Amino acid sequence: HLPLSEAARGAARIRTSFVDSARPEAAKALAHEWAPSSWQSKPIKQEVIYPDQAAFEKALSKLESLPMIVHPTEINKLKSSLKDVCEGKAFLLQGGDCAELFDYCTESQIDAKIALLLQMSLVLIHGLRLPVVRIGRIAGQFAKPRSSPTEIVDGKEIPSFRGDNINGFDPSERTPEPSRLVQAYFHSSTTLNYIRTRLGAGYADLHHPFNWSLSHIQDSEVKAKYLKTVEALTDSLSFMKTIGADTASSLRGVDFYTSHEGLLLEYEQSFTRKWAPTPGVNGGQEGWYNTSAHFIWIGDRTRQLEGAHVEYFRGIENPIGIKVGPSFKEEEFGRLLDIVNPRKEPGKVTLITRYGCDKVESILPGHIEAVRKTGHPVIWQCDPMHGNTRSSPGTGLKTRQYSSIMSEILSALKIHKEKGTWLGGIHLELTGDNVTECVGGSEGLTDADLSTNYQTYCDPRLNEKQALDVAFTISDYYRK
Ligand code: PEP
Ligand code: MN
């Protein structure tokens, strides 16, 4: 294998020497070889063009020289937990912002998000009687795929906001700026460092105390249901405290993993590092690891079988996600899964389905059958957010209805049960802050409330109460 620096230099050569029309032949020529840079010979969607190429190359060289953010041994630990999810022995909770901004890297915002995910996982553990694997959309979830490369702002057509690691939200900052890649690294590492610090100190020590106050709940039946769960949970926790089990390592060392969409492949390539286990010390596969996060996923817009993203993802050892939208064809599953998971490892691939509450019933059963025929083990995860976006009448604000989100999850649960497959997890856009971006939930937010605290720069997120609503409702489904 080429040392990374050589592979990267090769990459730089490929990058500048291939024009678009030369790509098909290049793709054929490199069909059987994978390298961290081999994606560069494939057609790419959502490409970012940097006007300042010299500064771009300099930023990438800097990234290559920086230490990894997460270690392959952690990645392998997650992979083995995901094997349990795949086999129906654990549940996967993945959540966080649609798009992180560098400004979200503050103690209070990270605390709020971590506390919320931990609290949700407690509720889910209680309901499912199974361990919950927690993955944040955090510490690197910056780059965003866009439906259009430009947008009209104040009557002027300007480049779309592509995420804080590429350009700025302010209309004056829309030119891709290479130094943002390096800033993304430092914000990711700082965020993860703070998460590790917090969890290392013991989760009972989190600033944001678990907020079980249920006074916001409008419906008395819902309130009574939640109250039952909370009483059972607080009882168990205080029992553990009494016997001293709350300080046991299992509660202190809560596992928490990071993830983001692997969209900007130059960035991902820079963190693709070769690693081999030491016999007798640790396990795992020798190979290339993406060390920018434990888990990365391919978006619904970049999952073309012959495309650059699938090419990059097929060579890394990390567990990966693939977004599956309504346009995913049944006949594509076999080829895609063969490409990214040739060893058919359970826990390697999570299919993140996101159809919308009005389409899930007609599409998911066929997709389940199609995957069954491939013989590939997959984790089925429901993303009830991305198929349920609508614009709010009057303001035009992008929003999502809690009832649609819950309806897609409950449909997925029902369909998997009928098909004899395991819905292994949920994938949510949420924040621990008290935002008003989604409508509905036990607090009864309406379209008219959206402007109260609408903060997102990308998709609307569940606030703390709405996210807990989801956890309580799933928990309740399993307790029944
Ligand atoms: C996302 O997860 O924020 C996203 C863009 O999703 P999808 O690729 O499913 O549209
Ligand atoms: Mn989103």
Side-chain angles (χ1 to χ4, degrees):
H1 283 278
L2 287 175
L4 182 79
S5 54
E6 268 179 59
R9 273 199 296 280
R13 274 200 303 279
I14 291 176
R15 162 138 228 103
T16 46
S17 61
F18 282 95
V19 287
D20 273 354
S21 59
R23 278 203 167 121
E25 288 98 292
K28 260 186 222 143
L30 290 173
H32 302 291
E33 287 172 40
W34 185 92
S37 62
S38 56
W39 61 270
Q40 296 196 19
S41 62
K42 302 274 184 172
I44 189 162
K45 297 270 194 225
Q46 301 283 331
E47 189 175 23
V48 179
I49 308 286
Y50 286 88
D52 189 344
Q53 275 291 312
F56 182 45
E57 297 292 345
K58 196 170 155 206
L60 295 181
S61 300
K62 176 69 182 167
L63 294 179
E64 277 165 24
S65 73
L66 286 164
M68 53 179 74
I69 298 176
V70 304
H71 195 270
T73 53
E74 300 169 342
I75 295 170
N76 287 325
K77 193 167 173 213
L78 171 61
K79 209 172 179 181
S80 101
S81 296
L82 290 177
K83 181 169 179 281
D84 290 342
V85 174
C86 190
E87 291 166 355
K89 294 184 267 187
F91 191 78
L92 168 60
L93 170 65
Q94 188 169 12
D97 296 295
C98 176
E100 282 180 276
L101 293 185
F102 296 157
D103 283 349
Y104 294 177
C105 186
T106 66
E107 285 176 19
S108 65
Q109 289 181 82
I110 301 168
D111 275 349
K113 232 168 281 168
I114 300 306
L116 174 58
L117 286 166
L118 289 178
Q119 194 172 8
M120 290 172 75
S121 67
L122 280 185
V123 173
L124 290 169
I125 291 166
H126 174 77
L128 279 91
R129 302 273 171 210
L130 284 178
V132 168
V133 180
R134 308 165 195 89
I135 306 183
R137 282 176 67 115
I138 199 167
Q141 174 49 22
F142 298 115
K144 293 312 298 175
R146 305 314 309 234
S147 41
S148 165
T150 61
E151 63 175 344
I152 307 288
V153 174
D154 296 332
K156 242 180 89 189
E157 188 178 14
I158 60 168
S160 300
F161 175 53
R162 310 280 295 264
D164 237 4
N165 60 345
I166 295 172
N167 57 5
F169 185 75
D170 192 277
S172 67
E173 295 179 339
R174 294 292 172 91
T175 303
E177 167 52 50
S179 65
R180 285 178 174 271
L181 295 169
V182 180
Q183 286 190 59
Y185 170 87
F186 286 109
H187 283 92
S188 299
S189 339
T190 303
T191 302
L192 181 54
N193 179 59
Y194 184 66
I195 295 172
R196 293 192 200 275
T197 304
R198 266 287 166 232
L199 295 180
Y203 81 11
D205 183 45
L206 274 168
H207 271 166
H208 174 97
F210 288 162
N211 171 16
W212 296 118
S213 143
L214 304 174
S215 57
H216 65 280
I217 300 173
Q218 315 252 306
D219 184 311
S220 56
E221 240 175 80
V222 173
K223 197 175 198 158
K225 249 198 272 179
Y226 288 11
L227 206 57
K228 239 175 99 186
T229 304
V230 169
E231 276 168 6
L233 259 173
T234 40
D235 243 26
S236 315
L237 290 173
S238 80
F239 175 73
M240 288 176 73
K241 197 168 179 171
T242 311
I243 63 169
D246 64 327
T247 53
S249 61
S250 59
L251 269 185
R252 288 205 150 264
V254 175
D255 284 333
F256 186 91
Y257 298 97
T258 62
S259 70
H260 62 258
E261 177 173 351
L263 184 63
L264 195 70
L265 295 179
E266 287 91 347
Y267 183 87
E268 305 304 338
Q269 181 189 325
S270 306
F271 290 101
T272 311
R273 315 263 162 108
K274 193 84 194 282
W275 180 82
T278 308
V281 175
N282 45 29
Q285 193 75 33
E286 174 174 357
W288 293 92
Y289 287 78
N290 181 308
T291 61
S292 74
H294 301 104
F295 177 103
I296 59 175
W297 74 87
I298 308 182
D300 196 41
R301 293 173 182 80
T302 50
R303 55 171 168 74
Q304 300 72 26
L305 291 174
E306 309 292 334
H309 289 80
V310 168
E311 170 64 16
Y312 173 76
F313 274 74
R314 82 178 168 96
I316 57 172
E317 293 299 329
N318 304 54
I320 62 167
I322 301 168
K323 290 288 195 105
V324 176
S327 66
F328 203 109
K329 296 194 191 67
E330 289 177 10
E331 60 272 20
E332 290 175 322
F333 283 109
R335 276 159 69 208
L336 183 55
L337 292 170
D338 285 347
I339 293 171
V340 296
N341 190 15
R343 297 194 297 264
K344 294 199 166 129
E345 288 176 89
K348 164 77 194 183
V349 178
T350 298
L351 295 179
I352 312 168
T353 61
R354 30 89 81 226
Y355 309 115
C357 62
D358 52 341
K359 299 200 180 84
V360 56
E361 300 272 347
S362 62
I363 303 175
L364 179 58
H367 280 183
I368 292 174
E369 285 306 327
V371 171
R372 201 198 299 276
K373 279 190 206 128
T374 69
H376 273 275
V378 301
I379 293 171
W380 290 99
Q381 188 190 34
C382 174
D383 164 1
M385 313 300 291
H386 289 88
N388 292 309
T389 314
R390 65 169 172 87
S391 87
S392 175
T395 56
L397 288 170
K398 237 196 206 185
T399 189
R400 288 161 175 158
Q401 190 86 34
Y402 174 80
S403 56
S404 311
I405 291 168
M406 217 45 247
S407 151
E408 180 159 356
I409 297 175
L410 291 171
S411 293
L413 281 165
K414 182 191 83 178
I415 293 164
H416 280 291
K417 192 162 182 219
E418 284 165 5
K419 290 280 174 194
T421 40
W422 167 241
L423 178 69
I426 48 168
H427 186 115
L428 303 172
E429 288 184 341
L430 53 78
T431 173
D433 303 320
N434 198 13
V435 300
T436 54
E437 298 169 5
C438 292
V439 174
S442 57
E443 205 182 2
L445 287 183
T446 65
D447 280 272
D449 296 318
L450 290 180
S451 53
T452 314
N453 192 21
Y454 193 94
Q455 296 287 339
T456 186
Y457 287 83
C458 206
D459 289 338
R461 303 160 294 180
L462 296 167
N463 65 24
E464 183 204 21
K465 296 188 175 82
Q466 293 165 327
L468 276 170
D469 284 331
V470 171
F472 275 120
T473 312
I474 295 176
S475 174
D476 193 51
Y477 169 92
Y478 281 100
R479 293 315 302 256
K480 267 203 236 129

